[in-house]
Amino acid sequence: MADAPTTSTKGATVRVWGRQQEPEKSRLTSAEKRYGLTWDELHAYKDRMLFPQLPTCMGVEELSKDISLCDSVFRGLDRCLTQGTIHEDDRFPYARMQICKPHWIKFNRCVNRRDELIMRNIKSWEKAYVANLDPASRSEYVDDIDSKMRYFLYAAANTGDAQHRARLEMNAQHCAIRQASLMKSNYDGADDQVAGTKV
C-alpha cells in the first residue's frame, strides 16, 4: 500500500457547501483594495489618537483652547467598530471596513488638523522659550531634540508592528520640524543682530 502524499493544505482554497472559498488573506486583501484602507489602519485608531509629544517644560494648558481634541469623532469611530465587532457576520467579516470608513475619514482628518495646530503651538512656544536661554543652553536644547529624533528613528527601525512604527516615525518627523524651526529662528536672530550693529 502506497503512502499518502504529505502535501500541505495551508492557504489552499477549499470547497464549502459546493462553493469555492478563497483563502482568508486573499479575502482581506481584496476588501482592503475595495475600501481603500487597510484593516490595521482602521483598527489603529487608538494609536492615532495620541497627541504629539510636548516639550518637557511646556504645559498642556499652554496649548490654544481652540484646538479640537477630536473626542466626538473618536467616540463615533469607536462605537462603530465596537458594534461592527459585536454584530459581525461570518459571510461578511470585513463589513465594518465599509460601514466605518466615513467615521474613519472624519477621524483621520480631525487628527491631522489637530496635530498640525499643536505643532504650530509648540513651535511658537519653543521660539519664545529658547530665545530666553543663553547660547550654551540653546545649543543643548536643540541637541536634545536631535537625540530624541534619532531615538524614535532607531525604535521605528527595530519594531515589528507597522502601526507602532508609523507612530514612532511621526514622532521623529515632529522632532525634525521642531529642530528646523529653532535653527531657522536662530539664524534669523543672528541676522537681526548683525543688521542692528550696522551704521
Side-chain angles (χ1 to χ4, degrees):
M1 182 172 158
D3 292 337
T6 57
T7 56
S8 173
T9 59
K10 189 174 181 181
T13 57
V14 293
R15 286 190 177 275
V16 178
W17 296 95
R19 186 162 61 96
Q20 191 170 13
Q21 302 293 307
E22 57 182 331
E24 190 70 23
K25 191 172 181 181
S26 176
R27 289 178 71 188
L28 176 58
T29 304
S30 299
E32 288 177 341
K33 284 181 181 175
R34 189 180 315 124
Y35 301 125
L37 74 155
T38 68
W39 185 259
D40 289 340
E41 279 176 338
L42 180 64
H43 290 84
Y45 65 103
K46 290 181 181 175
D47 284 336
R48 285 284 288 126
M49 186 62 178
L50 297 174
F51 293 174
Q53 289 196 339
L54 298 180
T56 310
C57 298
M58 182 180 182
V60 180
E61 65 280 356
E62 297 185 69
L63 290 172
S64 170
K65 301 293 184 278
D66 298 330
I67 297 175
S68 168
L69 301 181
C70 304
D71 290 339
S72 59
V73 287
F74 172 82
R75 283 195 301 272
L77 178 58
D78 184 57
R79 188 166 48 249
C80 182
L81 288 171
T82 303
Q83 290 299 315
T85 305
I86 292 168
H87 302 293
E88 185 176 293
D89 188 335
D90 290 342
R91 294 170 301 162
F92 310 107
Y94 307 116
R96 77 187 88 147
M97 292 182 77
Q98 180 182 13
I99 296 165
C100 299
K101 185 177 178 180
H103 294 281
W104 182 81
I105 289 171
K106 284 181 190 172
F107 171 74
N108 215 31
R109 227 178 254 154
C110 183
V111 167
N112 287 339
R113 179 68 178 150
R114 179 203 69 188
D115 289 358
E116 183 186 334
L117 291 173
I118 288 175
M119 287 305 297
R120 277 190 204 167
N121 274 223
I122 289 173
K123 287 192 291 183
S124 175
W125 179 89
E126 273 187 328
K127 188 174 180 181
Y129 177 77
V130 172
N132 292 323
L133 298 176
D134 59 82
S137 299
R138 196 175 303 159
S139 176
E140 188 179 328
Y141 188 88
V142 174
D143 288 344
D144 182 57
I145 294 175
D146 185 62
S147 297
K148 286 178 181 172
M149 179 181 70
R150 291 174 187 277
Y151 166 75
F152 287 133
L153 290 173
Y154 170 79
N158 289 279
T159 186
D161 182 6
Q163 296 307 314
H164 186 54
R165 185 186 310 117
R167 185 74 226 174
L168 289 167
E169 287 172 350
M170 180 67 74
N171 287 342
Q173 186 180 2
H174 288 162
C175 286
I177 290 168
R178 288 167 54 196
Q179 186 182 34
S181 175
L182 288 174
M183 298 295 280
K184 183 180 182 301
S185 64
N186 281 347
Y187 287 133
D188 290 347
D191 290 343
D192 291 344
Q193 286 179 357
V194 170
T197 56
K198 288 182 180 177
V199 180

